Structure formats: C-alpha cells, structure tokens
Amino acid sequence: MKKKWSRGASVVLALTLAGGLVGCTQKDETSPSPSANSSTSPSATAKTDTKKEVTLKVLHNWNGSSGSESDMNAVAKVIKEKTGVTVQMEYTKGSEVEKVNTIFATQDLPDIYTGPAWGGELDGIIKAAKEGQLVDLSSKLANYPNLAKEIAKENVPPALYEKGIDAYGGKKYLLYQNHPATDKDAMDWLYGFYVRKDIAEKVGVDPQSVKTKDDFYNFLKKIKDAGLKESGQPVIPLGGFHNGWAVNIGDQMFMGSGFLDKGDGSIENNFFTKVYEDYTLYYRKLISQGLLDSEAFTQTDPIANEKVKQGRVAVLAAHYPAILDASKDYVQSHPGSDYVPVGPLERAGAEANRPADLGVQGNNVTVITKQAKDVDAALRLLDFLASDEGFMLTRYGVQGVHWDMQNGKPTAKKEWFDKFVNDKTGKLKKNEGIGVGYESLTGLDRTNSKGNGDIWADQTRVAALEKARKILRPNGIKVITAYNPWDVITKAPQWESLKPSMDKTGDVWKEAIFAKSDEAALKIINDLRGQLVKTGYREAIKFTNDNLKGKEVVKLQMPN
C-alpha cells in the first residue's frame, strides 16, 4: 500500500511513531557528544578546508515535500562545514513516478537523486542503472564505510537486494536509506480503523469488541441506523482521505498478503482467488447500503479533511498520525470526540496471539547521476549524513543550539521545544533545517537505537499513539524478512506486457464495488482476469513460483 506522504512532515510522524517520551532539559556537561560514538566517516573526521567547496543539487522525489525559506539554514551550515558541500534541494510536486522517468528521458538530472524505495519509482532508477546513467560506486565504497554498511546484504530486504542492489554484475549503483538498524527502530504507522469515541458510546458499542468482518459490518450499520447528524448533515459511518486512501485496509480480514498460499507449495495472486471476490462483494455491500462514503474514492484531501473537521465521519481508515492531524480542531472544540482504535480486527490466516507482521523497509533509494559535477564531494556528503553525527543533525538539529546530550541521549532544549510545539505551521522547524529532506540520505534508521525518538513531539500526541499501540499491537510487531512475491514477479520476462493490465486491478476493484449487482461486480473482475491471462500472467506466476522454491515467502503482511 502506498503511504500518504508529505515528506516534510514524515520525519515527525516516523520518529513520533518510533519514539518514546522525552523531557526538555538543560545540557549535561558530562555527557558525550554524538560524534564521540558516531560511525567512522572520512567526511566527519577530515579537515574540510582542504576540500574544494561545491554546490550539489539534490532532487528529493517525494510529492508534497518542502524545504526551508533558505537553503543555507542552521543544519545546512553544519553540513557545509563538515563536507564542503552546499546542498541545493529540489522538491517534487506531483507524481514521483512521472518525475523519475522525466528526468532521465530529458537528461535534466540532479547531482544526487533520492526517492521511494518501491514501485515505479524504484523501477525507474533500476532502469537508469542498467542504461549506464548512474555512477558505479563499487570501487569507492571501501573508503566510505557508512555507505557500504547501508547496502550490506544483511541490511536490505532479500528481494530488494537481488533486484536493486546486487543486480549489475558486481557494480553498485543504488544506496538504501532508512531501513531499521534494529527491531526497535522499525516504523509502525498504526494503520487501522478508528472511531470517534463519543459516537461509539452513543450507539452502545465498545470499539474493542469489534473483531470480525460481521462485527465490523454490524458496527457500521448501527451507526447509520442511529440517524446521527453533524453540521446539519448525516454522519458518514466509514470514510477515508484522498482518492480512497485508505478505506480498503479491511482487506486484511480476507487476505493475509498480496498472494495466496495454495497449500501445495505454490502461490497465486489474490486477484485470481475466491477470497478476492468475497472481499470485493463485502465492500460492495458497504457502498450499496450507504455504510462507506460514496465520495471516498474521488474526493481530495481538503474535502476529506473538511468532513472530519465538521464531525461528519464516524469511522476513519488510515494511519493514526493522519487521523490525529485531521481531527485535532474538532476534538479541541468537542472534548471526548477523539478517534480511538477499532479492534484489533481478525487477520486472515493469523493466530490471535501473532505479532503484527510489518513489511518495514527503508523509505529511500539514493543515487549519484552521471551528470554529477563532483562525485567525490557527493560521496563525502552522503557518507557524513549516514554517520551517527549526520543522522542526529538532520533529525534533531544542531547540538548545543537546538539540543544537548542528557544521559547519553539527545534531549531538546526547552526554548526550542516550546517554539516548535507552539508553531502550528511547522515552518519554524523547517527553517532551522529539520524535516526538509536531509534525513532521507542518512543510511540505516537509528531513531531509537542511537537517537532518542522524536524529541520534538507533542507529549499529548505521543501518549495517544502509545495508547493506540497497546490496543492494536498487543503482541508487538514482527519485521518481515521473507521474500515478497511482488519483487519477484516484476522480474519475470512477461512483466513488461503484463504490467499495464496489472496496474488496472485497483481501478477495476473500485468499479466492481460500485456495480449494480454482485453478478455485475464479478463480471468486471473476471473480464480483467481474462486480460491478465492474455498478457502473460500464467507464465509470470510460474516464473515467480519457480524462483521462490526453497525460499521463505511472505504469507502475512500488514500495512505499516
């Protein structure tokens, strides 16, 4: 599932989810500095006055990301001091896939590119590597230990390692950022269904008593039958955000992952299974009975947020930080109307005591393009940012200015904590250079193992997240290390001809759930199944099964 991402705010979300409570204290003069325990980095230890100063353009390929009012902010000044590099950031507005394809087609290339480590964005970078448009780093990594570490085999999901890192006859083009260094660094966005507490109380349902598909349906029906109104309009039982994000997460009650284990040692894409039909018809029932917002799949984020601000949505589907953000104004003016978790709901094929299976992976792949004006400077920059010192700089700001070490952990200075918390726009933090994209270039995610969580987090928000975590993750989490069949099927010889048809499955599912009858819905599904078979699905799934023999395959996965 694609994450909703405003990358400028993503670090706050990610660190808040991963972090714990942090106090605002004054400097402990006896505590070590981060550089004393940081990873070895030539860029962090060498004198920068012997290095030629250079300005490098970095494309931060995340739709909605943004930077500070000046490229030369407080964090950027330290980066320049340490590496001799002035970073000039460019941010994407619009499709990340379109952007990555366009820059290589037009040769309007940055010095450094960083963007999503999945989907069409990753495919575009791999294509560029195979076409020789990127710098081969294989002979240079020995001099940059932080960069070598982030693409070591043990630090990359196996299928991604085969597909994107170790796929060029010994050459290395891609770097890989933000994969958790340890389990405690794994990012969990707490995807789920959340209900307004006051509405659950009005209809007499304990949200934690809702466990099964039938429970969830009956819960939504009770809300509708109660005839509740807000702002003069009926309350919508179930809603989401832009373009249907993320109302379909109920698929977890039907399907354990994207491929079904057939029980004979082989797998099938879920789109070809009976369980997919059941899932489709379940959502069709929600639509036809007015339990799911019929505008959910066409509305923009502003429209979706306005419905929440008006108090018109009873149950929201998304990750919890997005829900907290959208509902904040309404909750402040209507105490007791905060959104709380539903369930945890059943998961298809999962034992009740099983930890949440999360396909946690890094956010970014980063490359140096062939048009880079100074490859050594680019490597020097990236290696410094991937050091512990660089990691903390990008997330917390400048040590001694924004934060100090307390008991060996970064701790916010109270004056800056108060400024950031009281700045509702978030611009002040960005203007200091925190959360503007540098963190996308910092190697393994060490948010908790080396850092101190989100030291800038609103503690009320942290408490809400932790409360939800205890409900939705009673058995903790388990980071998936098995092979994801999606990473294998995309390497099949038939994939190029199959992909256009496979890309239609989401739109066809939406068409099916709005069909006039169950029969019409199934016909829509079956028509695309036939097209998939004609364009190579059977051969591609055989290729996938053949290449997964003897390997551990993902059978259960939750959105993270």
Side-chain angles (χ1 to χ4, degrees), residues 236-522:
I236 300 165
L238 172 61
F241 290 90
H242 68 290
N243 299 327
W245 183 77
V247 295
N248 69 325
I249 58 176
D251 61 357
Q252 295 295 303
M253 296 185 286
F254 294 86
M255 300 170 286
S257 67
F259 289 77
L260 178 71
D261 183 353
K262 296 172 66 175
D264 60 359
S266 66
I267 58 172
E268 184 83 274
N269 184 273
N270 277 330
F271 190 76
F272 283 86
T273 66
K274 172 67 165 58
V275 72
Y276 191 90
E277 297 174 1
D278 295 340
Y279 153 64
T280 302
L281 297 183
Y282 182 87
Y283 268 84
R284 185 189 166 274
K285 181 167 67 171
L286 298 184
I287 287 286
S288 63
Q289 295 185 14
L291 305 181
L292 171 58
D293 186 0
S294 62
E295 298 177 350
F297 298 97
T298 55
Q299 68 189 3
T300 62
D301 248 5
I303 291 174
N305 284 322
E306 186 61 27
K307 290 177 181 178
V308 178
K309 288 180 180 179
Q310 292 174 350
R312 294 178 51 211
V313 186
V315 178
L316 272 170
H319 58 57
Y320 202 24
I323 292 173
L324 290 174
D325 289 341
S327 62
K328 180 170 57 178
D329 292 343
Y330 187 85
V331 172
Q332 285 179 348
S333 58
H334 298 78
S337 65
D338 43 312
Y339 282 86
V340 296
V342 175
L345 296 169
E346 64 183 355
R347 291 198 290 145
E351 303 88 349
N353 62 349
R354 184 181 178 93
D357 301 84
L358 300 181
V360 177
Q361 67 177 59
N363 295 330
N364 285 65
V365 292
T366 300
V367 297
I368 301 173
T369 74
K370 274 291 185 69
Q371 289 191 18
K373 62 179 69 71
D374 191 326
V375 173
D376 288 336
L379 288 166
R380 193 165 67 242
L381 167 70
L382 294 171
D383 196 65
F384 167 70
L385 291 176
S387 70
D388 289 346
E389 182 181 3
F391 184 89
M392 293 196 210
L393 171 68
T394 63
R395 280 157 173 75
Y396 302 144
V398 181
Q399 183 178 1
V401 175
H402 302 108
W403 59 276
D404 290 312
M405 296 299 287
Q406 177 73 21
N407 298 322
K409 289 288 187 179
T411 306
K413 280 182 173 286
K414 188 176 187 307
E415 61 183 285
W416 283 102
F417 181 90
D418 291 343
K419 287 179 182 179
F420 289 162
V421 167
N422 292 324
D423 174 29
K424 304 306 179 184
T425 68
K427 291 181 180 179
L428 180 58
K429 190 183 294 183
K430 284 179 177 286
N431 286 339
E432 293 300 307
I434 305 169
V436 298
Y438 302 131
E439 71 285 347
S440 296
L441 306 168
T442 53
L444 294 173
D445 186 354
R446 290 147 280 169
T447 299
N448 292 311
S449 57
K450 290 290 185 181
N452 200 14
D454 182 5
I455 65 175
W456 305 116
D458 182 327
Q459 299 305 291
T460 301
R461 182 187 182 92
V462 170
L465 289 163
E466 289 307 309
K467 187 174 181 179
R469 195 182 313 282
K470 289 178 181 178
I471 294 171
L472 294 179
R473 307 290 187 252
N475 305 304
I477 67 172
K478 177 185 178 183
V479 176
I480 295 172
T481 57
Y483 281 80
N484 190 326
W486 279 115
D487 292 324
V488 180
I489 198 170
T490 57
K491 292 162 62 176
Q494 299 79 20
W495 181 247
E496 186 174 347
S497 61
L498 176 61
K499 185 178 183 297
S501 300
M502 193 67 78
D503 286 344
K504 295 178 181 177
T505 55
D507 289 337
V508 162
W509 179 78
K510 293 175 190 176
E511 183 182 352
I513 66 174
F514 281 96
K516 293 182 179 180
S517 66
D518 286 357
E519 292 75 18
L522 294 179

Side-chain angles (χ1 to χ4, degrees), residues 513-533:
I513 66 174
F514 281 96
K516 293 182 179 180
S517 66
D518 286 357
E519 292 75 18
L522 294 179
K523 183 180 186 304
I524 292 168
I525 297 294
N526 283 322
D527 285 349
L528 182 57
R529 285 171 173 169
Q531 185 176 335
L532 286 163
V533 170

Side-chain angles (χ1 to χ4, degrees), residues 5 32 35 71 88 95 153 170 199 211 267 330 358 360 408 448 457 459 512 558:
W5 200 289
S35 58
D71 277 334
Q88 185 180 72
S95 166
K153 189 172 184 179
I199 290 179
K211 302 291 186 184
I267 58 172
Y330 187 85
L358 300 181
V360 177
N448 292 311
Q459 299 305 291
M558 299 178 69

Side-chain angles (χ1 to χ4, degrees), residues 91-164:
Y91 301 95
T92 294
K93 307 298 180 186
S95 166
E96 293 98 340
V97 175
E98 182 178 332
K99 184 67 174 181
V100 71
N101 291 332
T102 298
I103 63 171
F104 288 107
T106 62
Q107 290 296 291
D108 182 17
L109 297 173
D111 299 284
I112 299 171
Y113 164 97
T114 190
W118 50 70
E121 300 92 337
L122 175 62
D123 291 343
I125 289 298
I126 291 174
K127 180 174 182 287
K130 292 178 177 177
E131 292 175 347
Q133 300 200 62
L134 308 177
V135 173
D136 173 21
L137 307 176
S138 57
S139 64
K140 302 176 182 292
L141 291 174
N143 296 321
Y144 298 96
N146 297 318
L147 304 184
K149 184 176 182 179
E150 67 188 54
I151 58 170
K153 189 172 184 179
E154 65 271 18
N155 292 326
V156 183
L160 177 59
Y161 185 81
E162 292 182 5
K163 177 182 179 180

